[in-house]
Amino acid sequence: MMSTTFSAADSALGYLYQVRVALLWSLRRAKQGGEFIVSLETLDDVTFESKGGTPKELLQAKHHRSREASLSNASADLWKSLRVWFEGYANGQIPAGTTLYLLTTGAAPKDSAAALLRSRSRDVAKALPILESVAQSSESHANAPAYAAFLAASGTARRTILDNVVVLDRASDVLTINDDLKNEVFWTAEQKHLDAFLQRLEGWWLRRVIKQLSANPEHAGILSGEIEAEMCELREQFKQDNLPIDEDVVAFTLDEETHAAHADYRFVHQLKLIDAGKKRVAAAIRDFYRAYEQRSRWVREDLLLVGDLTRYEGKLVEEWELVFEAAKDEIEATAAEAAKRKAARAVLAWAEQATIAIRPGVTEPFVVRGSFHMLADEAPPRVGWHPDFHDRLAEILNPSSTTPPEDAEGGDAR
């Protein structure tokens, strides 16, 4: 799709920037200690409140992608922010003493009002008359409502409000803010795993922000305790004896398309060989998909090495073999097919309940169950359920090269 002057890309980046900035600032405040509530799109782009609900800090986030935006004395970014704050004070929504931040990727020119409102080399007394002069003389129609709100305040009120305004220009953009975020979480995981850690933290944060924005009847703020709890949970998952389990993988439910796509897999044929019920087969496909997806992510992100998987699968095969051979010992080689399938379903039931962890802290059952089905799907399969699973699979997958034995129960081997 060709971009146009009406492209929504800049707006979309602006909203994403706002979400990432909110996370960055929340992490910094959490590190300082003390409880707070953070919300987006309430009193301001980002609002920080005390535990009691009193606004303490309001943040306007301005993102520019294609040009070096100038925070000049008549810039729209500056005056839109001032309008929000002056109107908020006028209607009583913003209490006195609330700190007002304007964070922008743009730059404040030397000696401009915005430059004089930075945290360093600050001179509010010099910035005030500059803004008053612009509001009284500018002919900008776009800024007119902001000028009106500014001039409606008394001289004393203007000075009081500006005393609380802090301009933070030349801020990191939506991409480079990633480095700032990594700096805040650098102590949570090994250096090589920080990207994977941050990806999961931001995924949780985005879901939480969506929940906050969609809450009815009012936006429910995000508690600092929630952020600390999620950080603690992720830290545990990234320890050497653990691995992260992704929420979207756990939440995956089998759909018809995925079910159909796996219908001819070896592990599914193995289940049909022993008359596993439809729901049991569906659960196996679900766990196979979950385990395959989660294990693939671990390998891609260097959280798990191929050698680790090889050792784990070796352990699974070794444990399975003990149970499988024990089940075979309990039935005669000439046993009826029904008896063989019953014994096979018992082996499968053991695999479904097994607690053989890939690492001590990984307790999600689908990892074990799905890994067994992955081994049952290899060519040739490394595990199986039916006592004669190698031969029976060959009959199913290569029917032209074998002559199936007559089924003892009068049915086929499937």
Side-chain angles (χ1 to χ4, degrees):
M1 177 178 172
M2 295 180 62
S3 62
T4 70
T5 53
F6 299 102
S7 171
D10 287 334
S11 295
L13 285 175
Y15 283 119
L16 290 173
Y17 183 63
Q18 185 175 316
V19 172
R20 301 195 85 185
V21 164
L23 174 59
L24 176 63
W25 282 46
S26 294
L27 291 173
R28 288 173 174 170
R29 276 149 184 73
K31 189 164 62 177
Q32 294 169 2
E35 296 181 328
F36 61 86
I37 303 170
V38 57
S39 59
L40 282 77
E41 297 293 344
T42 50
L43 288 179
D44 215 330
D45 289 349
V46 184
T47 299
F48 289 94
E49 300 173 326
S50 66
K51 185 180 178 181
T54 302
K56 293 297 183 181
E57 297 172 318
L58 304 184
L59 172 65
Q60 284 274 325
K62 305 297 183 183
H63 183 268
H64 298 275
R65 177 179 57 154
S66 59
R67 59 188 174 82
E68 177 76 7
S70 175
L71 205 63
S72 64
N73 293 331
S75 74
D77 282 355
L78 175 61
W79 283 100
K80 284 179 181 177
S81 299
L82 291 175
R83 179 187 178 184
V84 170
W85 296 330
F86 273 78
E87 289 182 349
Y89 270 101
N91 60 30
Q93 288 186 312
I94 299 178
T98 303
T99 305
L100 311 169
Y101 290 103
L102 171 54
L103 179 79
T104 176
T105 56
K110 184 180 179 180
D111 296 327
S112 65
L116 295 169
L117 294 175
R118 291 174 179 146
S119 56
R120 295 182 178 180
S121 302
R122 186 175 176 82
D123 193 339
V124 179
K126 189 174 180 179
L128 177 57
I130 295 174
L131 294 173
E132 288 174 335
S133 175
V134 171
Q136 292 166 351
S137 62
S138 175
E139 297 181 355
S140 169
H141 294 292
N143 288 346
Y147 296 152
F150 181 84
L151 294 174
S154 66
T156 301
R158 292 175 202 166
R159 175 58 192 259
T160 299
I161 295 170
L162 287 182
D163 278 337
N164 294 318
V165 173
V166 179
V167 172
L168 305 171
D169 62 332
R170 299 185 183 276
S172 300
D173 64 25
V174 71
L175 295 178
T176 57
I177 198 175
N178 197 68
D179 294 332
D180 298 329
L181 287 165
K182 286 173 69 173
N183 285 336
E184 293 303 319
V185 301
F186 79 95
W187 46 273
T188 58
E190 293 183 54
Q191 183 70 29
K192 63 181 180 179
H193 296 155
L194 282 181
D195 285 330
F197 183 98
L198 186 56
Q199 182 182 34
R200 287 166 174 81
L201 177 61
E202 285 205 84
W204 169 81
W205 179 250
L206 179 59
R207 292 189 295 272
R208 187 61 186 87
V209 167
I210 291 172
K211 183 178 179 181
Q212 180 251 305
L213 291 172
S214 58
N216 285 314
E218 295 180 355
H219 297 316
I222 303 169
L223 303 178
S224 56
E226 295 180 63
I227 301 170
E228 292 169 4
E230 183 64 20
M231 289 285 288
C232 183
E233 172 65 22
L234 285 175
R235 281 198 302 272
E236 288 298 315
Q237 292 185 16
F238 277 81
K239 287 184 176 179
Q240 289 187 349
D241 65 348
N242 208 343
L243 288 166
I245 299 293
D246 293 323
E247 186 174 322
D248 63 310
V249 175
V250 177
F252 171 77
T253 55
L254 188 65
D255 52 71
E256 291 184 6
E257 183 179 358
T258 305
H259 193 293
H262 291 78
D264 202 39
Y265 276 42
R266 285 181 180 82
F267 81 94
V268 175
H269 285 303
Q270 289 226 49
L271 295 169
K272 292 179 179 179
L273 266 176
I274 64 173
D275 292 335
K278 290 183 178 179
K279 289 186 177 180
R280 208 170 183 182
V281 172
I285 295 174
R286 177 201 63 200
D287 289 335
F288 176 94
Y289 180 92
R290 286 173 171 174
Y292 182 88
E293 178 62 28
Q294 187 66 79
R295 287 171 38 154
S296 297
R297 293 185 189 181
W298 289 337
V299 172
R300 285 198 305 270
E301 297 170 343
D302 291 328
L303 297 169
L304 194 66
L305 302 178
V306 174
D308 296 330
L309 279 176
T310 300
R311 285 188 291 273
Y312 178 59
E313 290 179 344
K315 185 190 299 184
L316 292 177
V317 171
E318 185 176 278
E319 295 300 315
W320 160 83
E321 191 170 33
L322 290 172
V323 177
F324 181 72
E325 293 299 328
K328 286 175 66 175
D329 287 347
E330 294 302 314
I331 58 175
E332 299 291 337
T334 58
E337 181 65 18
K340 291 183 177 181
R341 292 181 182 181
K342 182 178 180 180
R345 289 193 294 272
V347 178
L348 173 62
W350 166 82
E352 291 170 335
Q353 299 297 320
T355 56
I356 306 168
I358 189 169
R359 285 188 183 170
V362 181
T363 58
E364 277 293 338
F366 78 78
V367 176
V368 185
R369 295 194 297 255
S371 293
F372 269 123
H373 291 305
M374 291 174 70
L375 290 168
D377 195 63
E378 292 187 3
R382 293 169 66 188
V383 307
W385 320 117
H386 193 286
D388 308 316
F389 70 91
H390 282 298
D391 294 336
R392 295 303 176 87
L393 274 179
E395 295 165 10
I396 294 172
L397 300 175
N398 304 291
S400 61
S401 62
T402 60
T403 303
E406 184 175 319
D407 185 86
E409 296 298 310
D412 61 29
R414 303 174 97 173

